[in-house]
Amino acid sequence: MVIFFIFIIGLIAGSFLNVCIYRIPREKSLLYPPSHCPQCENPIKWFDNIPLVSYLLLKGKCRFCHHSISIRYPLVEALTGILFSLSYFFHPSLNILFFKNLIFISFLIPIFFIDLEKKIIPNSLSYGLIISGIIFGILTRSFFSSLWGAGLASAIFLAIYLVGYLLLREEGIGMGDIKMAMGIGTFLGWKISLVAFFISFLFGAVVAILLLLTGLKKRKDKLPFAPFLTSGALISLFYGERLLHLYLTL
Ligand SMILES: [Zn+2]
């Protein structure tokens, strides 16, 4: 029952994250004006703004101009609902640690979609991630673990950045990726962040090779890295301890 309630909260949070994904990179206010169709600018009525349900009822089209609504909207809502529910599933207690995970997820989802679409990670989100990670570190008495996490992340990612720049004369990862990795470090602590970064690089390498082999991307094409960092961070959030234990016992 609780998990169903949390799923609904996740859907509503996802609806707000959709606003963030659209407005933050366009430097628009998150609060004003209220939701409107980006095509015909007609305001969206409350009954057309119910997560998932409205998209299905409207068959993915604006009520006024019939312009199709991006599949990203219901996708982000469902994803947030599922990830919020998973947080409770893995940590069935409504305490500060659970709340910390919800905030972490709420930063990762917009970063994932904004980097995918615009190939940027807005500073407001990466700094927000770092600062809230440190605040939660203080609140959960793991401040030094957060600090070490950020330190380790900046060391690893700066090294990769410098090697890429000096040897290949290209930026394999950007400054935004470094800041995001630091934020992940503050939330996960240094041990679990290591697992997260390892998974991110593994996924990144596999996808890059697949894209090259299938000819979908060329060698010079840039691949946004935040989606891989997000995937690594989310898997480690739920399975990090187990994966680390598995690795150490091998
Ligand atoms: Zn419209």
Side-chain angles (χ1 to χ4, degrees):
M1 192 60 213
V2 179
I3 209 158
F4 177 73
F5 181 69
I6 289 167
F7 180 73
I8 302 293
I9 300 280
L11 290 183
I12 297 166
S15 179
F16 174 69
L17 295 182
N18 272 319
V19 177
C20 297
I21 292 166
Y22 183 80
R23 295 193 186 183
I24 291 177
R26 291 169 178 84
E27 296 184 348
K28 291 182 175 171
S29 158
L30 291 180
L31 300 173
Y32 189 84
S35 298
H36 55 269
C37 168
Q39 195 66 24
C40 66
E41 304 204 338
N42 266 307
I44 296 168
K45 297 269 195 318
W46 67 267
F47 50 80
D48 282 342
N49 213 0
I50 302 165
L52 289 186
V53 178
S54 293
Y55 185 85
L56 294 173
L57 288 179
L58 292 167
K59 299 193 181 75
K61 288 184 169 69
C62 168
R63 179 182 291 276
F64 302 102
C65 68
H66 305 290
H67 186 74
S68 61
I69 305 165
S70 167
I71 185 76
R72 191 180 68 202
Y73 287 85
L75 195 69
V76 166
E77 287 157 0
L79 187 67
T80 314
I82 291 167
L83 289 172
F84 275 26
S85 309
L86 274 178
S87 293
Y88 187 75
F89 178 76
F90 282 99
H91 188 88
S93 161
L94 298 172
N95 61 9
I96 185 118
L97 282 173
F98 169 74
F99 190 61
K100 174 186 167 184
N101 291 346
L102 299 195
I103 298 293
F104 189 39
I105 291 165
S106 304
F107 271 108
L108 291 176
I109 291 175
I111 294 177
F112 179 106
F113 285 97
I114 292 172
D115 197 27
L116 201 61
E117 186 196 12
K118 298 274 178 192
K119 302 218 167 59
I120 52 157
I121 302 175
N123 274 334
S124 55
L125 291 174
S126 53
Y127 289 138
L129 190 67
I130 295 173
I131 293 165
S132 40
I134 289 175
I135 292 172
F136 276 111
I138 295 168
L139 293 175
T140 58
R141 299 185 188 176
S142 52
F143 172 67
F144 286 102
S145 174
S146 288
L147 220 55
W148 279 112
L152 182 80
S154 57
I156 293 175
F157 281 79
L158 268 175
I160 294 169
Y161 176 84
L162 286 175
V163 167
Y165 191 72
L166 295 174
L167 294 181
L168 307 168
R169 293 275 156 210
E170 56 186 77
E171 295 183 355
I173 52 167
M175 279 296 159
D177 298 317
I178 301 176
K179 288 178 234 168
M180 181 190 179
M182 287 174 73
I184 290 171
T186 62
F187 267 93
L188 295 180
W190 70 272
K191 265 191 223 162
I192 304 298
S193 314
L194 271 182
V195 181
F197 300 151
F198 179 76
I199 296 172
S200 313
F201 287 122
L202 192 69
F203 279 8
V206 169
V207 171
I209 290 168
L210 284 176
L211 288 173
L212 285 175
L213 287 179
T214 52
L216 288 169
K217 292 258 179 192
K218 296 190 188 67
R219 233 191 71 68
K220 281 281 162 196
D221 287 339
K222 277 237 153 74
L223 202 57
F225 195 60
F228 301 113
L229 274 174
T230 305
S231 314
L234 288 173
I235 292 171
S236 310
L237 178 66
F238 299 131
Y239 292 105
E241 295 281 355
R242 260 168 274 189
L243 288 172
L244 192 66
H245 184 73
L246 195 72
Y247 177 75
L248 293 175
T249 48
L250 278 178

